[in-house]
Amino acid sequence: MLPKLMAANWKMYKATAQARASAEELCTLLPVTPEQREILVCPPFTAIAAVAAVFAGKPGFLTGAQNLYPKEEGAFTGEISPDMLKDAGARWVLTGHSERRSLFGESDAQVGAKTAFALAQGLNAVLCIGETLDQREAGQLEQVLARQLAAGLADVPPSCPPVCLAVAYEPVWAIGTGKVAGPKEILEAHALVRRLLCEKLGMSRELRILYGGSVKPDNASEIIGLDNVDGVLVGGASLQAESFSRIVRA
Ligand code: PEP
């Protein structure tokens, strides 16, 4: 079984000095990675190198990016390639985060192109999926997750090693709202994601499925103990090293 992946998404917070200080504090609070845990921090692009330098030589501490552009290089003003992310020290990248989808208009097809290109270029990827409240209330949970998974993994072969790819189930209505999905909702959605991944898409059973959406130190341990929850993706509560370290230990 792969270790649980405890991921932090720092969004557009922390300039280099603050990011370095937070990464150092995290290493002090977690002198060794707790058993069966991997820690992934995704800072803004400008702080990737600083965080990667702090984590260098620390087993279980990983650095990631929050986005990429699916081309090797070219006239793509403002964009960043997988090689540039690797050069800065990133080994992972998030694709399809709901803020990318809703604020920047990323389509399912674009998310699929980013996920496949990231993997082809040697980055590991966390593909984020999740339904809005309207979709959930309209009974469209399975339809939405099936569509996002099929498109997000359209060009990813089932032979993709499970260690290179994770899926984060993040109900949009629970991101940054303080509303956490209940255990029943998480269990149901994660079982559904597992079934879609294995039966419809032929992916490995070992693929990690993370839960994201208002995870905090006081709810992390219940969430991480649920079936088919192989880690968490944390926004707000990952910004303070102290609270993220408690989530990692949950
Ligand atoms: C996220 O940004 O992926 C997220 C889950 O945010 P929060 O933990 O703040 O809900």
Side-chain angles (χ1 to χ4, degrees), residues 7-11 94 97-99 128 168-172 174-179 211-216 232-239 247:
N9 173 13
W10 285 354
K11 310 196 185 197
L94 307 180
H97 190 278
S98 71
E99 285 151 17
C128 305
Y169 167 67
E170 300 202 294
V172 178
I175 298 180
T177 58
K179 268 189 219 154
Y211 171 77
S214 299
V215 175
K216 307 271 181 272
V232 287
L233 177 54
V234 188
S238 73
L239 293 172
I247 292 172

Side-chain angles (χ1 to χ4, degrees), residues 7-11 40-44 62-66 92-94 233:
N9 173 13
W10 285 354
K11 310 196 185 197
L40 168 63
V41 173
C42 301
L62 307 161
T63 311
Q66 300 169 22
W92 283 80
V93 65
L94 307 180
L233 177 54

